[in-house]
Amino acid sequence: MPAKQDAIGRRIGAAAIDIALVWIAFIVVLFIFGEKRGGSGAHTVWRFKDNSGYVLFGLLVFAYYWRTELAWGATLGKRWLGLHVVSEDGTPPTPRAILMRNLLRIVDGLPAFYLLGFVVAMSNERRQRVGDLVAHTTVVPKSTAPPPPEPEQGPSDEEVLAQVLGR
């Protein structure tokens, strides 16, 4: 059980790192596509001029999670804390599975701060959030992720040639 608790702690830490990176991205996007409205100094209020800023930010957040997991099997937070996304059978997840688990981050994030995802993850053996359950993925320590299966070896060139020539 301590290994699972350790993985849960690292998963929460990885989520905190990823959320911090997302907040930094939000501030950058807000300064580029937003405007000052009212107040001054520490009381200055920044807002997006229209909804396009929120849409852009949402797309950037989705792209961050989806692309990092597609490229490395982990977000930056997961990589830094030694975690990795795998399929339930331990193989690398398919691009479709990564897409599904990341589209469902919206559901996992309800009502706030990934509360639903946390409750669901704590209620099942593999500690899968809603996105993981639907995509048939799980997050494991990098050291426990098995290597991808070896490709099956076909016949050698000599064996194929012998079959073609009828030897």
Side-chain angles (χ1 to χ4, degrees):
M1 197 63 128
K4 281 187 182 180
Q5 290 172 342
D6 178 54
I8 290 293
R10 285 197 282 169
R11 194 164 178 183
I12 291 169
I17 291 168
D18 290 329
I19 289 169
L21 293 171
V22 164
W23 272 103
I24 291 168
F26 178 76
I27 292 167
V28 169
V29 170
L30 183 61
F31 283 144
I32 293 171
F33 296 98
E35 64 185 2
K36 288 183 187 180
R37 290 205 179 160
S40 64
H43 302 287
T44 301
V45 176
W46 281 81
R47 291 189 195 165
F48 287 117
K49 297 172 188 168
D50 56 30
N51 288 336
S52 62
Y54 295 106
V55 171
L56 174 63
F57 174 69
L59 290 173
L60 286 173
V61 169
F62 173 77
Y64 165 72
Y65 285 101
W66 178 64
R67 290 296 297 158
T68 56
E69 288 185 356
L70 190 61
W72 303 316
T75 61
L76 292 175
K78 287 183 191 80
R79 284 186 75 169
W80 289 338
L81 295 182
L83 298 172
H84 193 68
V85 178
V86 296
S87 294
E88 289 174 338
D89 63 3
T91 59
T94 65
R96 183 179 187 276
I98 292 171
L99 177 67
M100 291 305 298
R101 77 183 303 276
N102 283 294
L103 284 174
L104 287 164
R105 279 186 187 280
I106 296 168
V107 174
D108 283 310
L110 296 173
F113 305 110
Y114 281 92
L115 183 59
L116 179 62
F118 179 76
V119 169
V120 169
M122 295 308 292
S123 67
N124 66 73
E125 180 70 24
R126 292 185 177 173
R127 303 296 186 231
Q128 296 164 292
R129 60 181 180 79
V130 175
D132 289 318
L133 290 169
V134 171
H136 302 287
T137 58
T138 189
V139 177
V140 296
K142 185 76 168 166
S143 60
T144 64
E150 293 289 326
E152 290 186 27
Q153 293 291 332
S156 68
D157 292 342
E158 292 80 20
E159 292 170 331
V160 171
L161 185 58
Q163 286 176 354
V164 169
L165 297 175
R167 294 184 186 168

